[in-house]
Amino acid sequence: MIPSRKKVYVEGSRPDIQVPFAEVELSGGEPPVRLYDTSGPGSDPEEGLPQLRQKWIEERGIDEKCNTQLHYAKKGMITPEMEFVAIREGLQPEFVRDEIAAGRAILPNNINHPESEPMIIGKNFLVKINANIGTSAVSDSIADEVEKLTWATQWGGDTVMDLSTGKHIHATREHIIRNSAVPIGTVPLYQALEKVNGDPTKLNWEVYRETIIEQAEQGVDYMTVHAGVLLSYVPLAANRVTGIVSRGGSIMAAWCLAHHEESFLYTHYRELCEIFAKYDIAFSLGDGLRPGSIADANDEAQFAELRTLGELTKIAWEYDVQVMVEGPGHVPMHKIKENVDLQQEICQEAPFYTLGPLTTDVAPAYDHITSAIGAAMIGWFGTAMLCYVTPKEHLGLPNRDDVKEGVIAYKIAAHAADLAKGHPKAQEWDDALSKARFEFRWEDQFNLSLDPQRAREYHDETLPAEPAKTAHFCSMCGPKFCSMKISQELKEYAAQGMAEKSEEFREAGGKVYLPVVEKK
Amino acid sequence: MIPSRKKVYVEGSRPDIQVPFAEVELSGGEPPVRLYDTSGPGSDPEEGLPQLRQKWIEERGIDEKCNTQLHYAKKGMITPEMEFVAIREGLQPEFVRDEIAAGRAILPNNINHPESEPMIIGKNFLVKINANIGTSAVSDSIADEVEKLTWATQWGGDTVMDLSTGKHIHATREHIIRNSAVPIGTVPLYQALEKVNGDPTKLNWEVYRETIIEQAEQGVDYMTVHAGVLLSYVPLAANRVTGIVSRGGSIMAAWCLAHHEESFLYTHYRELCEIFAKYDIAFSLGDGLRPGSIADANDEAQFAELRTLGELTKIAWEYDVQVMVEGPGHVPMHKIKENVDLQQEICQEAPFYTLGPLTTDVAPAYDHITSAIGAAMIGWFGTAMLCYVTPKEHLGLPNRDDVKEGVIAYKIAAHAADLAKGHPKAQEWDDALSKARFEFRWEDQFNLSLDPQRAREYHDETLPAEPAKTAHFCSMCGPKFCSMKISQELKEYAAQGMAEKSEEFREAGGKVYLPVVEKK
């Protein structure tokens, strides 16, 4: 939890439904503001987190075939998970249930991950963000990754993907899941590849299936499956500027080429659905042929795969398995909307989950910004979850600071999208902060911000003295021109007529509010 | 000039037209890439910069009434300045002339600022960015500001506004102009206010006029004039969440209230036009009633002023004075396009020059990002120049690092807009970088990027060894899975048919290109 915020819980229809919020207390007689809270109860390296959902799962009883929220929703049930989500989003439980039943939203929560606080991914809810973490061949500390998980969710990560490769994949994931109050996603293909010593041509359905079940048992909530990379699509990527840039996509392309066979993910897809239904794992249908550069955006390779993802979405729904669909990547602004519109049409409004997109390739080291632009826009257009990009994208592995920069940039994008979509609770937050700013309630302004500590530090860099925190000016215009008078003057003026007020104003010394806010 | 780039000059139709470009040499037999270069010849604290345009100005002869590029353009002349700009933008001189003649673009260059390298601001050209610098009551070193000027233009600032307040305004500006190869803008009202000891009610036309002429003589290229804040509009801002946040706007509002008279900027506007025509100063018609928060976006106060700015635009054109029009500010994404569309309609396509806009208020300390989102979009929609916002916006005065962060975020926004607008030269840059990335030409990738040094540092943080610069892998996937083979394989595969190739591929050991580029 960010310091200066207080965790409060709202109780649902039963005492074990306790929905967390981050409350910001304000001065000046303003009511406190309650913000969506992803931080969870922290981590416990020894015991793991409390099993919040265990009782709900047991009450329902575990079916041998299907235990998905989609299944319950279709039957008209409102589960405690759905009610939890409804309170969290400020909506009616029936609405949550209907959106899940229609496939327009998913509530990812493996029955073996009872530690998770339910959340929902769908275009009619708050836009969510995902943070990627994970060990690699050159960096493999489990403790570091659990720390990154806690860190990412403190700043607002709604889900976390564990993309570990290298050694200790199983153990890393175990520690992450047991300490995670947010849903955990994976790309099981990475671990399967480790099991065949890194040779993609040695992959097969059996190894993959075994990996899926291993991860399902641990409690992975959603899995990226690159089942749309068909043999016949691979040549479509041949003449691209940047070929295939998705790891999963290139692994499957290599397999298809080597065997000259259709992808085993595609041919065994119905078996996957059966497994996913049992654990309530959600599909995140991977876009293995997504563009890796501006030049390759919206090409035939990408859209051919998307059409297959549409097919696969419908098949998953036959099994009552929850599905979202992944999207690009690198897309210039004028080609972004087409991505959402096509995905929503082809995949019948299944939630879209995009990586950025980056709106230009010329700024490595700043791709959290190049992609926050695209992410905000695609979120507005209807994307349900945004996968973050850190400043290290394309260059190296993100450290703790990079994770924070990525999460904050994406919280900005997601919230800007919520505002543009007109989510009723979104603008309350902005209005509270704007009002605090205008009224010189500096501490309130800091505390309401996405990063109170940095906002305070930046203010203090120019005006460190404590009285400046209550001063009716800031360093941009200095003390000489700043007062709050004009706002009051303006209001009275409008109310009482202009002529007499102008006289009064001049007699009072003509003091004027010069803005604290902007430089010109 | 950013290290690793080389300044080259392209000669025009006469030997004294020398247009600078930043050339990036590439390896692997790739041709060098030439980028737009704003860095100028550096600074010379003793002598100032060479007077590049002096001869052109003298050749034309200085007219007693009008010396504007708009005047020449309307007469059908192509000045050396226009030809310079045409080469810089990769367009025909006739096109440049026609856009200026139509008022759709401005070429700001005071005849007393012969040091400037001509540049153009208009929607049919590359999107430009402005960086604000300037002393204030709490920070008043002239040397620091000249240093910020050089720094801002090194990273890509197309114009710089000197917004100094406090002491030494005249001297600061003199040093800035004499060392600036980019056009310099000001808000003369700030200096006028200092002359009346900071009391806005004491302002009058005479003091303002004297200030304008003082700055005109020094060579200021464009001036923000808040002539659209009319007496009758002031009450429209009374019930806003954040009132009037423009400094210029609030000064003029205070004056109007105190005197209960129409603004002297409005009533003396034609006299201003005469002065501007003589020096070729461009108007930047200030938006004194721009919104200061999401809540206040696109309201009646804002649009009432805009309609007046439309009137003032037409009057300026009567005098052959160049004009651009300023815009907001704080605007949620779904309200951005209306701003451009209205401004373009009301002001008959005069260039739009916006501050951001910020797309949410909840992220002080990250407003370079909240506003880069809005800036990219509004640039795409037709805004000609974007005024940068630094991470310190609303909190404090930007230091050197903040200036850089602001400029880079805005170069990203402007370039993303150029791509979306389909500017022919924009995508060449992306393609060159994407290709370098795909071919593991790490040094080329760094050198082509907006910030080569930071890109290199981030790469080296995980893989510091020199051989990693030529390695066909990066730290994201590690060495085990990386090879360039698959790209070649794919191309051959597509060309030669799939069956026989799949066999060959498997026999060759099935080595596969796994992406260096993205994490999943």
Side-chain angles (χ1 to χ4, degrees):
Chain A
M1 174 70 79
I2 298 174
S4 84
R5 292 188 188 162
K6 188 177 74 180
K7 201 182 276 280
V8 296
Y9 292 91
V10 173
E11 189 169 303
S13 64
R14 45 190 280 179
D16 63 352
I17 295 181
Q18 295 287 339
V19 183
F21 288 91
E23 191 169 271
V24 185
E25 287 182 7
L26 302 179
S27 61
E30 294 288 322
V33 171
R34 285 189 174 175
L35 303 175
Y36 193 100
D37 174 34
T38 58
S39 67
S43 67
D44 184 336
E46 298 301 315
E47 301 285 328
L49 302 184
Q51 302 196 329
L52 166 65
R53 299 195 302 116
Q54 191 58 35
K55 201 174 153 202
W56 308 341
I57 295 164
E58 284 167 8
E59 279 177 5
R60 285 192 294 262
I62 295 176
D63 185 84
E64 270 188 26
K65 283 199 165 172
C66 187
N67 297 285
T68 71
Q69 296 288 321
L70 173 54
H71 183 67
Y72 304 135
K74 277 186 177 173
K75 289 206 291 189
M77 280 173 65
I78 291 172
T79 62
E81 286 88 342
M82 294 175 201
E83 186 187 336
F84 191 103
V85 158
I87 296 169
R88 220 170 177 185
E89 301 261 346
L91 296 163
Q92 292 306 311
E94 290 76 13
F95 180 76
V96 172
R97 178 198 59 199
D98 294 347
E99 289 291 296
I100 295 172
R104 270 195 300 274
I106 66 170
L107 198 163
N109 56 351
N110 187 318
I111 55 172
N112 291 331
H113 184 200
E115 298 91 344
S116 73
E117 293 173 344
M119 55 79 71
I120 195 161
I121 301 166
K123 66 179 172 184
N124 294 321
F125 300 91
L126 291 167
V127 175
K128 304 304 187 296
I129 69 165
N130 170 69
N132 293 332
I133 60 172
T135 56
S136 81
V138 297
S139 160
D140 69 350
S141 152
I142 292 178
D144 281 2
E145 297 310 311
V146 173
E147 161 63 16
K148 276 187 202 163
L149 161 74
T150 314
W151 185 241
T153 54
Q154 169 182 319
W155 293 109
D158 292 287
T159 77
V160 165
M161 289 192 80
D162 170 18
L163 302 182
S164 292
T165 56
K167 292 175 237 168
H168 318 307
I169 292 187
H170 184 96
T172 304
R173 191 169 50 235
E174 185 64 26
H175 280 84
I176 287 174
I177 294 174
R178 297 288 77 81
N179 282 288
S180 178
V182 302
I184 297 296
T186 60
V187 186
L189 199 59
Y190 299 171
Q191 189 183 8
L193 190 63
E194 299 281 350
K195 292 183 179 179
V196 294
N197 298 314
D199 179 353
T201 67
K202 298 280 191 303
L203 283 167
N204 56 56
W205 166 245
E206 287 68 32
V207 170
Y208 188 80
R209 182 177 179 281
E210 175 198 298
T211 308
I212 292 282
I213 290 174
E214 173 187 337
Q215 300 197 6
E217 286 290 330
Q218 284 185 298
V220 171
D221 300 289
Y222 65 88
M223 297 185 187
T224 296
V225 178
H226 297 91
V229 180
L230 301 191
L231 179 62
S232 59
Y233 299 161
V234 178
L236 297 175
N239 292 315
R240 282 175 155 184
V241 170
T242 49
I244 301 176
V245 295
S246 151
R247 275 191 89 196
S250 62
I251 293 168
M252 291 314 300
W255 189 92
C256 291
L257 290 192
H259 293 268
H260 197 68
E261 266 176 36
E262 198 51 278
S263 154
F264 61 84
L265 296 176
Y266 185 77
T267 56
H268 291 270
Y269 185 73
R270 286 180 182 271
E271 287 166 74
L272 273 180
C273 289
E274 286 168 3
I275 299 168
F276 280 30
K278 187 173 158 195
Y279 293 91
D280 198 5
I281 298 164
F283 275 108
S284 187
L285 292 174
D287 54 336
L289 299 179
R290 69 171 174 271
S293 57
I294 293 298
D296 295 341
N298 294 25
D299 70 355
E300 179 52 22
Q302 185 193 333
F303 289 148
E305 182 185 26
L306 180 59
R307 287 189 290 273
T308 298
L309 300 184
E311 260 179 56
L312 298 173
T313 298
K314 280 172 242 173
I315 294 171
W317 285 343
E318 288 177 29
Y319 294 81
D320 287 354
V321 171
Q322 306 190 86
V323 195
M324 60 182 168
V325 176
E326 298 187 5
H330 295 242
V331 186
M333 283 191 285
H334 64 301
K335 294 188 177 177
I336 288 177
K337 191 162 187 300
E338 184 184 14
N339 276 277
V340 191
D341 291 347
L342 266 182
Q343 184 275 338
Q344 287 288 292
E345 183 195 326
I346 291 171
C347 303
Q348 300 184 304
E349 300 186 283
F352 202 26
Y353 168 30
T354 61
L355 177 68
L358 286 71
T359 52
T360 168
D361 294 336
V362 303
Y366 298 85
D367 279 330
H368 60 310
I369 299 179
T370 65
S371 68
I373 294 167
M377 291 175 68
I378 210 163
W380 172 28
F381 296 147
T383 292
M385 186 157 78
L386 308 168
C387 181
Y388 87 169
V389 170
T390 77
K392 290 278 168 64
E393 184 79 8
H394 303 114
L395 296 169
L397 287 171
N399 60 25
R400 184 182 152 97
D401 288 343
D402 300 316
V403 166
K404 179 182 166 188
E405 295 297 319
V407 169
I408 299 266
Y410 273 69
K411 288 304 278 185
I412 289 170
H415 183 70
D418 289 336
L419 280 175
K421 286 164 68 176
H423 191 287
K425 289 185 71 175
Q427 198 175 325
E428 281 175 28
W429 186 7
D430 289 73
D431 291 353
L433 193 143
S434 305
K435 196 155 184 277
R437 178 174 283 161
F438 193 63
E439 293 173 1
F440 296 100
R441 289 183 276 112
W442 287 99
E443 288 292 346
D444 288 354
Q445 188 186 158
F446 303 150
N447 291 339
L448 281 165
S449 73
L450 270 179
D451 184 354
Q453 193 184 340
R454 188 174 294 180
R456 189 175 283 109
E457 276 168 18
Y458 281 5
H459 175 269
D460 290 1
E461 224 174 87
T462 333
L463 289 175
E466 197 51 41
K469 301 294 196 316
T470 51
H472 281 188
F473 66 91
C474 75
S475 57
M476 298 189 84
C477 302
K480 193 168 162 198
F481 298 130
C482 263
S483 104
M484 281 302 299
K485 274 201 151 176
I486 193 74
S487 357
Q488 298 309 322
E489 297 286 345
L490 273 174
K491 283 185 188 180
E492 290 173 31
Y493 199 83
Q496 298 181 24
M498 296 176 80
E500 57 179 319
K501 285 307 292 177
S502 75
E503 192 57 30
E504 245 177 62
F505 182 83
R506 197 159 37 196
E507 280 168 7
K511 281 269 188 283
V512 54
Y513 164 66
L514 287 186
V516 289
V517 190
E518 290 174 4
K519 182 69 186 154
K520 68 170 195 188
Chain B
M1 173 70 77
I2 298 174
S4 84
R5 292 188 188 162
K6 190 177 73 181
K7 201 184 274 282
V8 295
Y9 292 92
V10 173
E11 190 169 302
S13 64
R14 43 190 279 178
D16 63 351
I17 295 180
Q18 295 286 341
V19 183
F21 289 91
E23 191 169 272
V24 184
E25 287 183 7
L26 302 179
S27 61
E30 294 288 322
V33 171
R34 285 187 174 175
L35 304 176
Y36 193 101
D37 174 36
T38 58
S39 67
S43 67
D44 184 337
E46 299 300 316
E47 301 285 327
L49 302 184
Q51 301 194 331
L52 166 66
R53 298 195 303 115
Q54 192 58 36
K55 200 175 153 203
W56 308 341
I57 295 164
E58 286 168 6
E59 278 176 5
R60 285 191 295 262
I62 296 175
D63 186 86
E64 267 187 29
K65 285 198 165 171
C66 186
N67 297 286
T68 70
Q69 296 289 320
L70 174 51
H71 183 66
Y72 305 135
K74 279 186 177 173
K75 290 205 292 186
M77 278 174 65
I78 292 171
T79 62
E81 286 89 342
M82 295 175 201
E83 187 187 334
F84 190 104
V85 158
I87 296 170
R88 223 171 174 184
E89 301 261 347
L91 295 163
Q92 292 305 310
E94 291 75 14
F95 181 76
V96 172
R97 179 197 59 201
D98 294 348
E99 290 291 297
I100 294 173
R104 269 195 301 273
I106 66 170
L107 198 163
N109 55 353
N110 187 318
I111 55 172
N112 291 331
H113 184 202
E115 298 91 343
S116 72
E117 292 174 345
M119 55 79 71
I120 194 161
I121 302 167
K123 67 178 170 183
N124 294 320
F125 300 92
L126 291 166
V127 175
K128 304 304 187 297
I129 69 166
N130 171 70
N132 292 334
I133 61 173
T135 56
S136 82
V138 296
S139 161
D140 68 351
S141 152
I142 293 178
D144 282 1
E145 297 310 312
V146 173
E147 161 63 16
K148 276 188 201 162
L149 161 73
T150 315
W151 185 241
T153 54
Q154 170 182 321
W155 292 109
D158 291 287
T159 75
V160 165
M161 289 192 81
D162 171 19
L163 302 181
S164 292
T165 57
K167 292 174 236 166
H168 318 307
I169 292 188
H170 183 94
T172 304
R173 192 170 48 236
E174 185 64 25
H175 280 84
I176 287 175
I177 294 175
R178 297 287 79 80
N179 284 288
S180 178
V182 302
I184 297 297
T186 61
V187 186
L189 199 60
Y190 299 171
Q191 189 183 8
L193 190 64
E194 299 281 350
K195 292 182 179 180
V196 293
N197 298 314
D199 179 351
T201 67
K202 298 282 193 303
L203 282 167
N204 57 55
W205 166 243
E206 288 67 32
V207 169
Y208 188 79
R209 182 176 179 281
E210 175 198 299
T211 307
I212 292 282
I213 290 173
E214 174 187 337
Q215 298 197 7
E217 286 289 331
Q218 284 185 299
V220 170
D221 300 289
Y222 65 89
M223 297 184 186
T224 295
V225 178
H226 297 92
V229 181
L230 301 191
L231 179 62
S232 58
Y233 299 161
V234 178
L236 296 175
N239 292 316
R240 282 176 157 184
V241 171
T242 49
I244 300 176
V245 295
S246 151
R247 278 191 87 196
S250 63
I251 293 168
M252 291 315 300
W255 189 92
C256 291
L257 291 191
H259 295 268
H260 197 65
E261 269 177 35
E262 198 52 276
S263 154
F264 60 82
L265 296 177
Y266 185 77
T267 56
H268 290 271
Y269 184 74
R270 286 180 181 270
E271 289 166 74
L272 272 181
C273 290
E274 285 167 5
I275 300 168
F276 279 30
K278 187 174 156 194
Y279 294 91
D280 198 4
I281 297 164
F283 275 109
S284 187
L285 292 174
D287 54 337
L289 299 179
R290 68 169 175 273
S293 57
I294 292 299
D296 295 342
N298 295 24
D299 71 355
E300 180 52 21
Q302 184 193 334
F303 289 148
E305 182 186 27
L306 180 59
R307 287 188 289 272
T308 298
L309 299 186
E311 259 178 56
L312 297 174
T313 298
K314 280 172 240 172
I315 295 172
W317 285 341
E318 289 176 27
Y319 294 82
D320 286 354
V321 171
Q322 305 190 85
V323 195
M324 61 182 170
V325 176
E326 297 186 9
H330 295 242
V331 186
M333 282 191 286
H334 63 300
K335 293 187 177 177
I336 288 178
K337 192 162 186 299
E338 183 183 14
N339 277 277
V340 191
D341 292 347
L342 266 183
Q343 184 275 337
Q344 287 289 293
E345 183 194 326
I346 292 171
C347 303
Q348 300 184 306
E349 299 187 283
F352 202 26
Y353 167 30
T354 62
L355 179 67
L358 284 71
T359 53
T360 169
D361 293 337
V362 302
Y366 298 86
D367 279 330
H368 60 310
I369 299 179
T370 65
S371 68
I373 294 168
M377 291 175 68
I378 209 164
W380 172 29
F381 297 149
T383 292
M385 185 155 79
L386 309 168
C387 183
Y388 88 169
V389 171
T390 78
K392 289 279 168 62
E393 185 78 9
H394 304 114
L395 298 169
L397 287 171
N399 60 24
R400 186 183 151 95
D401 288 342
D402 299 317
V403 167
K404 179 182 164 187
E405 295 298 319
V407 169
I408 299 267
Y410 273 68
K411 287 304 279 186
I412 289 169
H415 183 70
D418 289 335
L419 280 175
K421 286 164 68 176
H423 191 288
K425 288 185 74 175
Q427 199 176 324
E428 280 175 29
W429 184 7
D430 290 72
D431 291 352
L433 193 144
S434 306
K435 196 157 185 276
R437 178 174 283 161
F438 193 62
E439 292 173 1
F440 296 101
R441 288 184 276 112
W442 287 99
E443 288 292 345
D444 288 353
Q445 188 186 158
F446 303 150
N447 291 340
L448 281 165
S449 73
L450 270 179
D451 185 353
Q453 193 183 340
R454 189 175 292 181
R456 188 175 284 108
E457 276 169 19
Y458 280 5
H459 174 269
D460 291 0
E461 224 175 86
T462 333
L463 288 175
E466 196 51 40
K469 300 293 195 319
T470 50
H472 283 188
F473 66 92
C474 76
S475 56
M476 298 189 83
C477 300
K480 194 167 159 198
F481 298 132
C482 264
S483 104
M484 281 303 297
K485 274 201 152 178
I486 194 71
S487 359
Q488 298 309 323
E489 296 287 345
L490 274 173
K491 282 185 188 179
E492 291 173 30
Y493 200 82
Q496 299 182 22
M498 297 178 79
E500 55 179 319
K501 288 305 293 176
S502 76
E503 190 58 30
E504 248 178 59
F505 181 83
R506 197 158 38 195
E507 280 168 6
K511 280 268 188 282
V512 54
Y513 166 65
L514 288 185
V516 289
V517 189
E518 290 173 2
K519 182 67 187 161
K520 71 170 189 187

